[in-house]
Amino acid sequence: LNIVEETIPQNILPIEEGDISQKEESILEEESILEETNESVQRDQIILTLDQKEALVNGVPYTLNTPPIAIEGRTYLPLRFVVEQVLHAQLIWQPENETITISKDDKQIIVVIGKNVALVNGEEIQLDTPPVIKAGSTLLPVRFISEQFNIDISYDKNKKKITLVGPSKGLNTKP
């Protein structure tokens, strides 16, 4: 039976109780929990530029039918793109009365082109500006759609870049 005596190099000190601050201990606990659950919340990130048809969807290039635009200081986004790529929701267009219905989970939103009122689960909500049609696409004010579906938005004024971070798609279990 060989017994090897373990020695600690001089430049490494043993950690004893009280050596780790509460903040460091909290960080270590959070890292441990993350490693144990091995899960993270998935959210889509979309990067758009005013007046440009090119966008990035989770880092992948995407060409829009109609670019985001600014009208009288309000930013408008192509509705179908936002609904499909960010919200992963259903969109129904009724051309006879220019009505759009957006459905996701337990929320239904109805907007009418040129009208400043939307129906959200049957309740009237006032819009700052109405939806419009440009180049055959419906554009909706970004503020309304972001508030209704918890989309985080940031805007870089110098680069005219709009970044959308979609609502949670649930937990992503990593292998």
Side-chain angles (χ1 to χ4, degrees):
L1 181 67
N2 289 335
I3 298 177
V4 177
E5 186 173 347
E6 189 172 288
T7 59
I8 299 172
Q10 288 182 334
N11 62 344
I12 298 177
L13 299 173
I15 296 174
E16 296 186 16
E17 193 173 336
D19 284 349
I20 299 177
S21 72
Q22 282 187 330
K23 184 177 180 182
E24 290 170 323
E25 194 171 294
S26 175
I27 291 169
L28 290 173
E29 284 176 22
E30 287 174 21
E31 288 175 355
S32 174
I33 290 168
L34 286 174
E35 286 174 8
E36 285 175 21
T37 60
N38 208 22
E39 296 175 340
S40 65
V41 174
Q42 284 289 90
R43 298 178 73 189
D44 286 317
Q45 182 185 54
I46 313 297
I47 300 173
L48 305 147
T49 305
L50 279 179
D51 302 316
Q52 299 293 316
K53 286 188 173 186
E54 293 74 34
L56 288 176
V57 178
N58 296 321
V60 177
Y62 187 97
T63 302
L64 304 166
N65 292 331
T66 304
I69 60 172
I71 301 173
E72 296 178 14
R74 301 280 191 232
T75 302
Y76 283 75
L77 299 179
L79 183 59
R80 183 171 298 278
F81 172 77
V82 172
V83 168
E84 292 175 353
Q85 297 298 321
V86 180
L87 297 174
H88 306 285
Q90 180 184 20
L91 182 141
I92 299 170
W93 164 246
Q94 297 169 320
E96 63 276 3
N97 55 9
E98 295 189 316
T99 299
I100 299 114
T101 302
I102 305 163
S103 301
K104 179 168 174 77
D105 301 328
D106 60 348
K107 185 171 273 193
Q108 182 184 60
I109 296 177
I110 299 171
V111 293
V112 180
I113 301 301
K115 302 286 183 187
N116 281 44
V117 175
L119 288 177
V120 178
N121 291 339
E123 182 183 333
E124 284 191 3
I125 303 290
Q126 195 68 34
L127 300 172
D128 288 344
T129 57
V132 297
I133 296 177
K134 294 283 185 190
S137 293
T138 300
L139 297 153
L140 192 66
V142 68
R143 175 172 288 178
F144 173 74
I145 198 82
S146 68
E147 289 173 351
Q148 293 303 314
F149 289 103
N150 298 317
I151 299 170
D152 295 327
I153 296 178
S154 62
Y155 181 68
D156 181 333
K157 189 175 183 176
N158 294 329
K159 295 180 181 178
K160 297 183 179 182
K161 293 222 181 278
I162 306 155
T163 301
L164 309 173
V165 180
S168 168
K169 294 190 301 185
L171 292 175
N172 176 38
T173 304
K174 296 178 184 174

